[in-house]
Amino acid sequence: MTVHTPIQSANRRIPGWAMGFTLAVVVAGGAYFGTNLSGHNPPIGGPPPSAGPPDAHMVIAKAGCMACHGPDLTGQVGPNLHHVKDGPTSANLKQLGTDHPDDWANIWIAGTDPAVSDPAMRMGMPAFAAPPYKLTPEEIASVVAYLKTLP
Amino acid sequence: MAVNPKKLRPYDQPPRIREPIVPSQPDAAATTYLVAAVLWFGVATALGALWATQQIFPGPLSLKTELPTFRGTLTFEISPATVSGGFWTALVYGWLTNAGLGAILFITPRLLGRRLIWEKIATGSAAALNVGLMAGLAFVYLPQIAAKGTLAEFPLPIDGVILLALFMANVVFWRTLLAAGQLVPYISLWFFGLALLASMGLYFLDSAFPLIGPSDTALALANGAYVRGVETLWVTGVAIGTLYYLIPRATGNPLYSAGIAYLGWVSWAGLSTLSMLGALADTSVPFVITQLGNAATLMLVAPAFLAVANLALSIRGRWSMILSPGTVPLAVVALAFFTASALLESIGSLNSVRGLVGRTEWVTGVQLFAYFGMATFAFLAMADHAFPRLLRRDWRETILADVALWATFAGTAVAGLALIGGGIDAIAGTMRWFLGGAAAGIGLIGLGALAEVVNLFFIYTSAPRVEYSVRDEVVVPTGEAAAGAAGQ
């Protein structure tokens, strides 16, 4: 014997509130579509559309700089990142700052310091982080530009 | 007449009954699919917990080894990438697809009042699907063979087996529906029909597209659109169709309005198809196309609200049923997660919100709300309703049902909110806490899955056999239980 469990419905009409809600959503969706046609898609896998240059705060947060340099970047395990607009504050970076006065910070963060002869030691920032946490050149430039604004 | 000695049997030995390799009794296919689904539920949650934990400790939980084969060495890799592919495969294809097909094959004959035509083919499709999935899941950890994506791309032979299984399920469903000759079938069958066609069509396109040699960008875009289509057309469609059967059936009430149901179906069908365009986000795709998809995703809140309101109004007068364990509370939780996930998806389709959270764990958290929340609870409700009937057991709700409900609910809420919060909050130092929360949440869901597996085991082994009577909704005891009742 086949079990038959038909389901009845109390009424077949579409109530006014249901039709009204549906129409309101369709109108709102159509209006949203019509008023947001100017824009561009980012490359797939690239940065979100609303970002121009990478936001330094977002980069610093996602890369975990505060874990070593402190919540306000005044130093903890890692050195104080304030005053870098005047040049490197760490003794081991003085020579780098002399040799590359404009982009010493970019070189150090990227891990391409030529003074560090052993490539294995050129870890770059964030230290001890495995890919994909290494920063892109655009992110490094954004972070350095931000650090140079710190008092 | 000469006697054949080979056919003589001892008088007390029963005659041998030859069981067919592929069972064909009523509901054999539905039983196979639903049992497999529950087992895959456990596998999916285990992989999910491993995936979330690997986000925090990728090194200790990763493994890479070379396997010698007759054609060289193959790399066997357990890494966040491969485990992610395995998790989503087990979740969507293993748990949700098996449960969805089981629900379709259970509900369809009951709504039409006739047996499934070609039940053997339906049972065979269950075997083919699960054999293909097990092989595919093994290949996921051999990245030289399987491509990586949110839903892992299987080697072509396995794609063929799975496609064949989906085709067989489609054939059985449509053949049975057409043979029943109903002019306007019940709304559940409308959702099932479109969902089945979509699942087969999308899987075919996703499998065949790489064969024409597209660029990596085109492949990534196609995979994104496919994942979106699977979520909106297949998983959501079957889940809504299941709820449209379960809630009126479990409460004994008629459906509030067939008109709302059909309006919801029409809007869902159109908007879900268009929403796939929102996944085509690349510089090579005109922005107007992507925006059309985003607008469609925004408007998907309409069919979601219509379905939730229609079903909630169908429960009127029977709301006390949600206070006791059973089908109705599971279905109500599914409706709650459906509302939440639909709202979050709509909000996430706005340009400004996508810009903030579009490529963060926020998206994963919303997907977890949809998959582990709405769809999982709809199919758990299905399992709660169907298993005692399929296995012909008298089974009352036990603490295992409470554990399954609350562990899955708490786990889904914790995991989804943790990932959504992690996507919103960009402080990397606390990201580990969010990922830890996601791991804990998925672990809780695993506990719920384990409870469901144990529940199924006890239903089959411990519960007395009964035959369910549909007219009176009275469980008619048979065998020892009947003798005991007669003696009282």
Side-chain angles (χ1 to χ4, degrees), chain A residues 11-22, chain B residues 256-261 263 306 310 313:
Chain A
N11 63 81
R12 301 186 72 85
R13 292 181 305 107
I14 303 174
W17 58 264
M19 185 61 82
F21 176 78
T22 306
Chain B
Y256 176 73
S257 168
I260 295 178
L263 176 63
L306 290 175
N310 200 10
L313 288 168

Side-chain angles (χ1 to χ4, degrees), chain B residues 108-134:
Chain B
T108 299
R110 284 161 174 77
L111 285 176
L112 297 177
R114 61 167 301 143
R115 272 197 66 179
L116 286 178
I117 294 177
W118 299 330
E119 181 92 36
K120 275 193 178 182
I121 292 180
T123 312
S125 74
L129 178 72
N130 285 285
V131 166
L133 285 180
M134 284 190 287

Side-chain angles (χ1 to χ4, degrees), chain B residues 18-341:
Chain B
R18 292 192 177 186
E19 294 282 349
I21 293 176
V22 182
S24 62
Q25 63 265 31
D27 292 327
T31 307
T32 308
Y33 269 120
L34 287 176
V35 170
V38 172
L39 296 175
W40 276 108
F41 188 25
V43 170
T45 50
L47 287 173
L50 175 62
W51 164 76
T53 312
Q54 276 183 323
Q55 308 301 311
I56 310 172
F57 307 111
L61 293 176
S62 296
L63 171 72
K64 199 170 182 177
T65 185
E66 301 291 328
L67 299 175
T69 67
F70 63 92
R71 296 181 73 174
T73 56
L74 274 178
T75 305
F76 177 80
E77 185 179 319
I78 297 178
S79 65
T82 57
V83 172
S84 170
F87 164 56
W88 290 107
T89 295
L91 173 63
V92 176
Y93 293 137
W95 159 233
L96 296 177
T97 297
N98 270 294
L101 289 168
I104 291 172
L105 296 176
F106 176 85
I107 294 171
T108 299
R110 284 161 174 77
L111 285 176
L112 297 177
R114 61 167 301 143
R115 272 197 66 179
L116 286 178
I117 294 177
W118 299 330
E119 181 92 36
K120 275 193 178 182
I121 292 180
T123 312
S125 74
L129 178 72
N130 285 285
V131 166
L133 285 180
M134 284 190 287
L137 194 60
F139 279 113
V140 165
Y141 300 99
L142 302 172
Q144 290 163 290
I145 298 177
K148 294 187 208 58
T150 304
L151 290 176
E153 310 258 333
F154 301 137
L156 206 55
I158 296 177
D159 277 339
V161 170
I162 295 175
L163 201 54
L164 178 64
L166 294 174
F167 176 72
M168 289 157 74
N170 265 277
V171 164
V172 170
F173 172 81
W174 286 105
R175 184 73 181 86
T176 308
L177 182 65
L178 292 172
Q182 288 188 1
L183 231 93
V184 184
Y186 182 66
I187 187 62
S188 293
L189 299 173
W190 290 68
F191 279 98
F192 292 161
L194 185 58
L196 276 171
L197 288 175
S199 73
M200 186 176 62
L202 287 172
Y203 199 92
F204 171 74
L205 290 173
D206 189 59
S207 304
F209 189 62
L211 299 176
I212 64 174
S215 63
D216 287 346
T217 301
L219 263 179
L221 290 173
N223 186 256
Y226 168 72
V227 168
R228 183 82 189 128
V230 164
E231 180 185 343
T232 54
L233 283 169
W234 168 237
V235 173
T236 304
V238 181
I240 299 177
T242 303
L243 291 172
Y244 265 118
Y245 174 79
L246 282 180
I247 288 181
R249 180 83 176 86
T251 58
N253 286 342
L255 181 66
Y256 176 73
S257 168
I260 295 178
Y262 292 119
L263 176 63
W265 182 87
V266 168
S267 54
W268 163 79
L271 294 173
S272 295
T273 308
L274 284 175
S275 77
M276 293 167 57
L277 298 176
L280 304 177
D282 183 62
T283 50
S284 58
V285 178
F287 184 71
V288 65
I289 292 179
T290 314
Q291 193 65 347
L292 182 62
N294 294 327
T297 306
L298 181 68
M299 289 188 275
L300 273 174
V301 71
F305 173 77
L306 290 175
V308 170
N310 200 10
L311 290 168
L313 288 168
S314 301
I315 304 177
R316 65 193 185 285
R318 309 284 271 170
W319 283 102
S320 59
M321 293 182 77
I322 68 171
L323 298 176
S324 51
T327 304
V328 176
L330 290 165
V332 168
V333 173
L335 291 180
F337 273 113
F338 188 26
T339 309
S341 62

Side-chain angles (χ1 to χ4, degrees), chain A residues 70-122:
Chain A
D72 53 358
L73 304 179
T74 55
Q76 198 167 282
V77 174
N80 185 354
L81 296 182
H82 288 237
H83 310 298
V84 295
K85 63 180 183 295
D86 302 322
T89 57
S90 302
N92 62 321
L93 298 180
K94 292 291 185 186
Q95 187 60 48
L96 181 65
T98 304
D99 296 339
H100 302 273
D102 297 323
D103 59 349
W104 65 269
N106 303 65
I107 294 170
W108 176 247
I109 296 175
T112 54
D113 182 3
V116 181
S117 60
D118 184 357
M121 296 304 293
R122 290 185 196 162

Side-chain angles (χ1 to χ4, degrees), chain A:
Chain A
M1 186 190 73
T2 303
V3 176
H4 188 202
T5 55
I7 309 289
Q8 307 298 327
S9 66
N11 63 81
R12 301 186 72 85
R13 292 181 305 107
I14 303 174
W17 58 264
M19 185 61 82
F21 176 78
T22 306
L23 285 174
V25 169
V26 170
V27 167
Y32 172 76
F33 172 69
T35 54
N36 285 276
L37 287 176
S38 61
H40 62 277
N41 283 322
I44 189 165
S50 69
D55 181 66
H57 296 90
M58 295 275 287
V59 173
I60 289 171
K62 287 183 84 74
C65 307
M66 300 173 200
C68 293
H69 293 281
D72 53 358
L73 304 179
T74 55
Q76 198 167 282
V77 174
N80 185 354
L81 296 182
H82 288 237
H83 310 298
V84 295
K85 63 180 183 295
D86 302 322
T89 57
S90 302
N92 62 321
L93 298 180
K94 292 291 185 186
Q95 187 60 48
L96 181 65
T98 304
D99 296 339
H100 302 273
D102 297 323
D103 59 349
W104 65 269
N106 303 65
I107 294 170
W108 176 247
I109 296 175
T112 54
D113 182 3
V116 181
S117 60
D118 184 357
M121 296 304 293
R122 290 185 196 162
M123 289 188 298
M125 293 290 124
F128 312 113
Y133 296 111
K134 292 299 181 186
L135 305 180
T136 64
E138 294 77 20
E139 290 171 329
I140 293 173
S142 182
V143 169
V144 170
Y146 167 70
L147 291 177
K148 288 182 176 177
T149 66
L150 295 177

